[in-house]
Structures are given as C-alpha cells and as structure tokens.
Amino acid sequence: MDNMAELENQTIGEEVAPSAARKRPRPGERRIQILQTLALMLEEPKAERITTALLAEKISVSEAALYRHFASKAQMFEGLIDFIESSVFGLINQITERESDGRKQASQIMAMLLHFAVNNKGMTRVLIGDALILENDRLQIRINLFIDRIEAAFRQCLRTAAGQGAYAEEKDLSIRANLIVSAIVGRWHRFAKTGFKADPLTGLDQQLGLLLS
C-alpha cells in the first residue's frame, strides 16, 4: 500500500520513470503521476498550501497540462479519495471474507486502517481533513461519509461478535463502534500533527484489548 502504488494496479516505478524510447507518457500515465506527486507533497508536514502552480512545477509541466487531465484541483483530491476508498473497503471485504470471528474482524480492520496511514502519510492528511482546508466543501463531505462507512463496518463486525456470544448487550454496540472509530481518527490526527513521528501502531494490541473486550 505504498503511496499510490496500487492505483490502477501499477507500481510507482512503472508510472513515474519514463522510458528512454518514449517522449510522451502513455494514456493515463500523466494522470497517475499527478496524483502520486500530490500525495508525496502532502507528506511534507510543514508544507505550504498546495497550489496547481506548485504541483505543475514539481512535475515539470505547465498548469495547462494539469488541467488536461483534471478539471480542477478539487478533482485531483477526489482522485486521492477514490484511491483511499477503493483500497480501504477492498481490504475490509477481504478481512470479513476470510475471518468469521467478529471480534477478530474488528481487530484486523483497525490494524489495517492504522497501517494504511503509516504506508500512505500524505493520505492521512486527507483522512483527517487537514489537506482539505480551503478546498471545495464537497471533499470534506466525502471524507465524513467515508468515516461513517468505516463506523458502519465496525458495527457489523460487532453484531457478528454479539451473535457469537462475545457481547451480552447488543444495544452498546453502536457506542463501541463509535469509540473505535474515534480512537482511529485520533491516532491518524496525532500521527499527522507530529510530523508523522508519533507511530499510530504503538500500543495497538493493548488498546485493541480494551476496545474489544
């Protein structure tokens, strides 16, 4: 899950390194390069607000070239959110398909979400909304809906666990799911706000024991 590595099932090396025999990127290659570069720029903890001018300069193209692939900067951020959603929910589906124990499902999903942040630092700033300040409001709305879907996935895992006898009071499951998501978002937030120094995986096993006991 390295930065944008799974986007369109291509590796960063394949997308960024131009062939000596080709002077122009293949169809779709420049679009992915733009998203990769945007994600990498977001990894700079004290970076100024990213503008299309800065992004174009980083890629060594004109701003007009960017707009041939994306109608707006908001659409570029939407491309990052598309990557986040497809990656995360694809992994959630894999976890729930291979693991039948509800509590183990929840445990593995929480670990996956924190590993995703570690492997995709720039995406973490998107997840907490830090990178979306002063951008189009619809981007934050999409992230809010993404978090809601994550919470719904945890509720389903906990319902499965309750059906397996793990929890006596099903009425508390929504509260527990909300607490788990709050813990994840809090760890994402601290990770980003410390310049990616506070490892969100520290003490994970102990916290999982408390959250899912």
Side-chain angles (χ1 to χ4, degrees):
M1 290 187 298
D2 291 339
N3 293 324
M4 305 305 298
E6 295 182 355
L7 194 61
E8 297 192 9
N9 297 316
Q10 300 291 333
T11 67
I12 290 178
E14 289 173 331
E15 293 303 335
V16 174
S19 167
R22 288 187 293 106
K23 292 185 178 180
R24 292 187 177 183
R26 292 172 297 186
E29 185 178 64
R30 181 69 78 192
R31 180 183 175 90
I32 294 175
Q33 184 189 27
I34 291 167
L35 294 179
Q36 289 173 322
T37 304
L38 175 58
L40 287 171
M41 290 174 75
L42 288 170
E43 291 190 14
E44 297 298 326
K46 295 183 179 179
E48 57 188 302
R49 182 174 179 239
I50 296 172
T51 63
T52 53
L54 286 171
L55 182 57
E57 181 182 355
K58 197 80 171 179
I59 306 173
S60 299
V61 299
S62 66
E63 286 186 76
L66 296 182
Y67 289 119
R68 283 198 289 271
H69 300 279
F70 295 95
S72 64
K73 183 150 64 92
Q75 198 176 83
M76 298 175 199
F77 276 106
E78 285 182 326
L80 295 186
I81 296 172
D82 287 341
F83 169 78
I84 291 169
E85 290 178 340
S86 63
S87 298
V88 166
F89 290 112
L91 290 168
I92 287 175
N93 288 338
Q94 288 178 30
I95 290 168
T96 56
E97 285 172 6
R98 71 169 179 252
E99 178 57 67
S100 60
D101 184 287
R103 273 202 293 200
K104 288 182 180 179
Q105 288 176 354
S107 175
Q108 290 175 25
I109 290 171
M110 182 172 180
M112 177 272 291
L113 290 167
L114 297 177
H115 275 285
F116 183 86
V118 171
N119 293 330
N120 299 277
K121 296 180 178 67
M123 304 294 186
T124 307
R125 294 189 58 212
V126 176
L127 286 167
I128 67 171
D130 182 52
L132 306 180
I133 296 171
L134 302 179
E135 303 296 342
N136 193 295
D137 289 345
R138 74 175 182 270
L139 298 172
Q140 186 60 59
I141 291 170
R142 276 196 67 178
I143 289 297
N144 293 344
L145 291 172
F146 170 81
I147 299 297
D148 288 344
R149 289 178 64 193
I150 292 291
E151 188 169 329
F154 277 111
R155 282 198 302 272
Q156 184 56 52
C157 294
L158 296 175
R159 287 192 192 101
T160 299
Q164 295 165 338
Y167 303 111
E169 296 291 334
E170 243 185 280
K171 65 182 181 181
D172 295 332
L173 299 184
S174 292
I175 296 172
R176 190 185 292 268
N178 181 264
L179 180 60
I180 293 170
V181 171
S182 296
I184 292 167
V185 173
R187 283 184 168 235
W188 284 341
H189 195 276
R190 189 170 181 223
F191 182 48
K193 292 299 184 180
T194 58
F196 308 114
K197 293 178 182 177
D199 187 350
L201 298 169
T202 300
L204 177 60
D205 290 341
Q206 292 90 332
Q207 286 203 358
L208 283 169
L210 291 170
L211 292 167
L212 297 172
S213 61

